[in-house]
Amino acid sequence: MKIVVGNWYQESTTFNPIVMDERSFVFFEGEASKYRVAATDVLEKRGIEVIPTIYATAISGGCVTEEAYRFFADKILNVLKTEKNIDGIWLHLHGAMEVVNIGSGEAQLLREIREIVGNDIPISLTLDLHGNIDVDVPKLANIIRGYRTAPHTDQEDTERITANMLADCIEKNVRINPVFKRIPMITPGEKATGKTEPMKTILSRLTEYEKMEGILLANYFNGHAWTDAPNTSASAIIIPESENYQELAEEVAEELAEFVYGLRNKFTFPMLTLKPAEAIDRALGEDDKPVFISDSGDNTTGGAAGLDTVLLRHLVKKNIGNKKVLVAAIYDEASYNKLSSYEIGNEVSIEVGANFDENSAPVKLTGTLKAKGELLGYQTSKNDVIGNVCTIDVGNIDIVVANHGDSFTTINHFKKAGLEIQEYDVIIVKQGYLFDELSEIAALEILALTPGATYQLVEELEFHHLIRPMYPLDK
């Protein structure tokens, strides 16, 4: 048996106008990509020959350029054109990649794959819980499973499940046709974390459906709220065990969609949520440490650029006393380049802020260059360096300036930047919900309702391309 595998992962935010090109991705191809996905080990242990294509992942950002789509898509398609007698295709995609002039990157890739291999070769997809599923995706793929955690911790587990199911499907020679139901609601991920209600109940219900005879997989996709596109919404996808259970899958999909829609008013912020100035005041007033503030409108894990200085501007106006505060990190390539020319310990005077718009207005800072370090990636933060950072010490405030947009989602991010996380009373990060490693050590988590590309009150944003009506935009 021969299975082609690949990983191509990016989540697009249309409210971020900075597009993503090939350089935005951590990229490996061929044999170098083979063991970066958990599916390879699963399949090889079953005696299956694995044909690798690419591993290309990027932190969330703006739309992907048409040229970048073509570059990565062709890497996958060329393998399919040259490799003979394949039995299946396994892919880890996101589900909310939006490509300039194309639309859903996942749907377009699957269309082009089917043009090459026909309709009889089974395709298995691992997708993000926040996928905006284009209606063509479940028509073109056979096995689909989304993550069951937010923040995401089960990517590798999901890869193993979908790999095994693909192998089973091939061995049993069964035809599987997913059932898709769009749910007319968009919900920020910060209101839909996996350990809080109502998401906890929804995910639990998926497990119960999968215990039913005839149901192979049950999926709920929360969607990605900051993509202004026709495929943006929540959705349910049910995978029957075979064509014999197609009618049952239709019934379950309808039931799940109605159940979720009935809970639409129950999605609320589970963490303390405050306006920017209030968030800083509350954090500085806490006795325990560290207190984390999420700059939620400039959340780089949700697709914002990481350029904004809104919280920094509020912070420098405060009397912070003996508190030690860290801002990690502000993306400003020009300011980074200036800072990198200094030696650690040098006094520096610099403006930080790319001045891309009013949210990224520059802030004049005078202080000492405290540290230089590496900027780690998002999905591959243990291994892959995607940029560099310099930290300037201004009184009791440390500001990390980066030459690439990213988020400090793990303790290792701080270490690689040359910083000791335990030194700080208050830490401002470019996130929405706090990622698990940071949440575990946080004395308090505060979601600051900052403006920006990932502004949390989506009902106040201007959408032009959604299929309406759509809750909460249409009451």
Side-chain angles (χ1 to χ4, degrees), residues 85-114:
N85 302 317
I86 67 167
D87 299 287
I89 299 168
W90 179 95
L91 296 171
H92 186 165
L93 309 175
H94 185 282
M97 180 194 296
E98 195 71 11
V99 181
V100 177
N101 298 325
I102 289 178
S104 168
E106 292 86 0
Q108 181 62 21
L109 177 65
L110 290 173
R111 292 185 198 108
E112 295 186 50
I113 287 174
R114 285 297 183 201

Side-chain angles (χ1 to χ4, degrees), residues 170-236:
I170 296 168
E171 288 176 358
K172 295 175 182 177
N173 194 29
V174 294
R175 182 74 182 179
I176 297 175
N177 298 304
V179 175
F180 172 77
K181 291 289 181 181
R182 187 172 299 287
I183 306 172
M185 53 186 272
I186 53 174
T187 307
E190 283 59 44
K191 290 184 176 182
T193 57
K195 296 179 181 178
T196 59
E197 296 295 353
M199 183 62 85
K200 184 177 178 181
T201 294
I202 293 169
L203 296 175
S204 177
R205 179 164 284 219
L206 302 182
T207 303
E208 293 305 308
Y209 283 136
E210 290 173 352
K211 294 177 182 177
M212 297 172 61
E213 181 182 351
I215 300 301
L216 182 66
L217 287 169
N219 293 284
Y220 168 66
F221 292 97
N222 189 70
H224 181 60
W226 299 285
T227 308
D228 186 9
N231 48 294
T232 296
S233 76
S235 62

Side-chain angles (χ1 to χ4, degrees), residues 418-429:
L419 304 172
E420 297 294 335
I421 197 169
Q422 65 269 21
E423 180 182 340
Y424 299 98
D425 299 283
V426 178
I427 301 171
I428 297 173
V429 290

Side-chain angles (χ1 to χ4, degrees), residues 104 107 111 132-140 180 182 230-231 467:
S104 168
R111 292 185 198 108
N132 292 324
I133 310 302
D134 185 281
V135 66
D136 281 351
V137 168
K139 294 177 182 177
L140 298 165
F180 172 77
R182 187 172 299 287
N231 48 294
I467 296 173

